């Protein structure tokens, strides 16, 4: 690039954002109505888009504008799609890919805020090898989380307190259940499909946590709950960890035997037990079947009647999706005059009015 030419926009950032979404220059040309040759010069740093064009690119790529103004860590290079036969990252919709971009953006922002506050997350969980059994890993986690054989409440809080980034975003068309990667700078990060009920999200969180502890690489998963125990695949191992973590054998059997269930248990009775164990009705049903506590096939019969899920928390949707740690550190950065109220609202993806209300609520507390 000629020495006389200085650009504020970093071309490599534009290219990086486009490549994550697997968009060609021709596709971007059609989507923002700019010649591919011009887009190419932007990516090479020979020229730069107008502010309007940059805003269009930010929206298209699922990024904040400041993403293009400085170098940022690279997103995962290789993302493995697991769980849906014939499905791959390449053939999922642009809307689903945008969810991955938004997740990467949240991980980046979390790192930025931690650095501004001179904080660093401590990873408090050890990693394992494929020779370690799912049951041993689940027992290790239950011990770390102080759960023994009791129901594991507030799993997300415990995982975040262990140094993991966890976010929830709505995934269109039920494309995937969860996504996880262990980044050299972001650390371990997990994305959950916000459209799924809380019991299913808890299972997905346990599943993705297992992938990270097993060092399975970047995992984009559509999770089946049939709990196939014969396969040694990465998905099967992660499922087995999730089953043992959320529904330990001894605890489930003891709780089942205490309950005055009808024979067979009614849908309502099983839903109540699932709520206690913080899992979905379907997950609990399959676990009880595999332990020969209820008749095989009854879960599928009840699932077809679309059972109701237990009630969600009263936490505002935006706050639940971002998580307690992310919201807390963002507000702390504002209170220490490190970021403005406008920046806080942008980070939290809420109107300034709501950001002010949230700050006032913190002060009152």
């Amino acid at each position: 690039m000629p020495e006389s030419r200085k650009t504020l926009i970093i071309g490599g950032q534009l290219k990086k954002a486009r490549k994550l979404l697997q968009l060609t220059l021709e596709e971007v040309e059609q989507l923002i109505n700019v010649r591919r040759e011009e887009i190419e010069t932007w990516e090479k740093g020979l020229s730069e888009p107008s502010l309007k064009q940059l805003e269009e690119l930010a929206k298209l790529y699922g990024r904040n504008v400041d993403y293009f103004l400085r170098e940022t860590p690279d997103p995962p290079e290789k993302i493995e799609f697991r769980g849906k036969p014939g499905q791959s990252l390449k053939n999922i919709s642009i809307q689903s890919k945008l969810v991955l971009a938004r997740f990467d953006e949240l991980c980046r922002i979390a790192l930025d805020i931690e650095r501004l506050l001179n904080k660093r997350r401590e990873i408090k969980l050890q990693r394992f090898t494929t020779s370690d059994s799912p049951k041993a890993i689940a027992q290790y986690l239950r011990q770390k989380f102080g759960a023994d054989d009791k129901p594991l409440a507030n799993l997300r809080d415990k995982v975040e307190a262990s140094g993991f980034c966890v976010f929830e975003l709505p995934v269109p068309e039920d494309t995937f259940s969860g996504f996880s990667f262990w980044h050299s700078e972001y650390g371990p990060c997990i994305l959950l499909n916000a459209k799924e009920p809380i019991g299913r999200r808890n299972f997905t969180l346990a599943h993705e946590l297992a992938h990270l502890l097993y060092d399975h690489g970047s995992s984009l998963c559509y999770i089946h709950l049939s709990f196939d125990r014969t396969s040694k695949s990465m998905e099967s191992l992660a499922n087995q960890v999730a089953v043992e973590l959320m529904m330990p054998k001894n605890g489930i059997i003891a709780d089942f035997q205490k309950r005055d269930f009808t024979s067979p248990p009614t849908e309502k009775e099983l839903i109540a037990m699932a709520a206690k164990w913080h899992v979905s009705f379907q997950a609990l049903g399959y676990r009880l079947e595999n332990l020969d506590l209820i008749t095989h096939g009854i879960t599928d019969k009840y699932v077809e009647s679309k059972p109701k899920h237990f009630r969600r928390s009263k936490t505002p949707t935006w706050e639940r999706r971002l998580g307690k740690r992310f919201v807390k550190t963002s507000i702390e950065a504002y209170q220490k005059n490190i970021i403005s109220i406008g920046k806080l609202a942008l980070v939290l993806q809420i109107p300034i009015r709501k950001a002010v209300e949230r700050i006032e609520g913190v002060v009152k507390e």
Side-chain angles (χ1 to χ4, degrees), residues 131-149:
S131 63
D132 294 301
S133 73
K135 186 173 182 179
I137 295 175
Q139 288 175 337
Y140 161 80
L141 290 172
R142 294 190 68 81
Q143 184 179 30
K144 293 288 286 188
F145 295 154
D148 297 322
D149 282 331

Side-chain angles (χ1 to χ4, degrees), residues 20 31 33 51 54 80 105 137 160 166 180 217 219 223-224 258 300 305 315 322 348:
L20 179 64
L31 291 167
N33 196 28
L51 178 57
L54 184 62
E80 295 286 347
E105 186 74 344
I137 295 175
E160 287 186 327
V166 182
S180 60
S219 301
I223 300 171
H224 298 279
K258 285 180 185 177
D300 287 336
S305 66
T315 305
L322 295 176
L348 300 181

Side-chain angles (χ1 to χ4, degrees), residues 115-363:
R115 285 175 172 172
L116 288 171
L117 292 170
N118 197 27
K119 290 185 175 183
R120 187 62 180 170
R121 281 178 290 121
E122 178 188 356
I123 311 304
K124 299 178 181 178
L125 299 179
Q126 71 180 62
R127 302 178 84 173
F128 297 84
T129 67
T130 52
S131 63
D132 294 301
S133 73
K135 186 173 182 179
I137 295 175
Q139 288 175 337
Y140 161 80
L141 290 172
R142 294 190 68 81
Q143 184 179 30
K144 293 288 286 188
F145 295 154
D148 297 322
D149 282 331
K150 299 181 178 64
L152 183 55
N154 304 316
L155 176 62
R156 181 177 177 181
D157 291 347
K158 290 177 171 61
V159 172
E160 287 186 327
S162 299
F164 291 61
C165 271
V166 182
F167 296 106
E168 298 178 5
L169 292 172
V171 178
E173 303 166 355
D174 196 31
T175 307
F176 59 88
S177 310
F179 175 50
S180 60
F181 63 90
W182 199 301
H183 195 277
S184 59
E185 294 191 52
Y186 301 153
C189 304
I190 297 173
L191 170 65
L192 309 175
N193 183 356
K195 287 187 174 182
E196 293 183 341
I198 187 170
R200 183 73 185 268
R201 293 199 309 273
N202 282 335
F203 190 90
T204 298
L205 176 55
H207 177 103
E208 296 301 331
L209 177 61
H211 277 314
L212 292 174
L213 297 184
Y214 264 131
D215 196 16
H216 283 167
S218 301
S219 301
L220 185 64
C221 306
Y222 183 85
I223 300 171
H224 298 279
L225 296 181
S226 57
F227 310 149
D228 177 16
R229 303 181 66 88
T230 60
S231 171
K232 296 297 182 182
S233 70
M234 293 180 182
E235 287 304 283
S236 178
L237 288 174
N239 257 0
Q240 289 176 50
V241 172
V243 169
E244 297 290 347
L245 176 59
M246 299 305 300
M247 298 171 286
K249 179 179 178 179
N250 292 340
I252 288 291
I253 292 176
D255 186 24
F256 183 87
Q257 291 175 343
K258 285 180 185 177
R259 294 172 180 266
D260 187 22
F261 278 156
T262 57
S263 183
T266 65
E267 179 183 309
K268 185 176 180 180
E269 288 172 332
L270 293 179
I271 289 174
M273 185 173 176
K276 177 181 176 180
W277 287 90
H278 310 285
V279 295
S280 69
F281 163 84
Q282 189 177 8
L284 176 73
Y286 287 137
R287 179 59 162 161
L288 295 177
E289 288 182 17
N290 289 341
L291 293 173
D292 293 321
L293 295 174
I294 63 174
T295 305
H296 287 250
I298 193 171
T299 303
D300 287 336
K301 177 183 176 182
Y302 285 149
V303 166
E304 289 174 3
S305 66
K306 299 181 180 179
K308 294 180 180 179
H309 298 282
F310 49 93
R311 189 174 299 173
R312 300 183 180 190
S313 71
K314 295 179 180 180
T315 305
T317 300
W318 67 267
E319 193 166 348
R320 172 176 62 79
R321 291 177 180 178
L322 295 176
K324 291 180 181 179
R325 180 183 174 85
F326 184 86
V327 173
K328 181 180 178 181
T329 54
S330 300
I331 291 175
E332 183 181 348
Y334 167 76
Q335 291 175 326
K336 291 183 176 180
N337 296 317
I338 295 174
I339 62 174
S340 66
I341 189 66
K343 177 68 173 179
L344 176 65
L346 181 64
V347 165
L348 300 181
Q349 291 291 291
I350 57 176
I352 290 180
R353 174 183 56 79
K354 277 194 175 183
V356 171
E357 290 173 355
R358 186 64 178 83
I359 292 294
E360 290 175 345
V362 170
V363 173

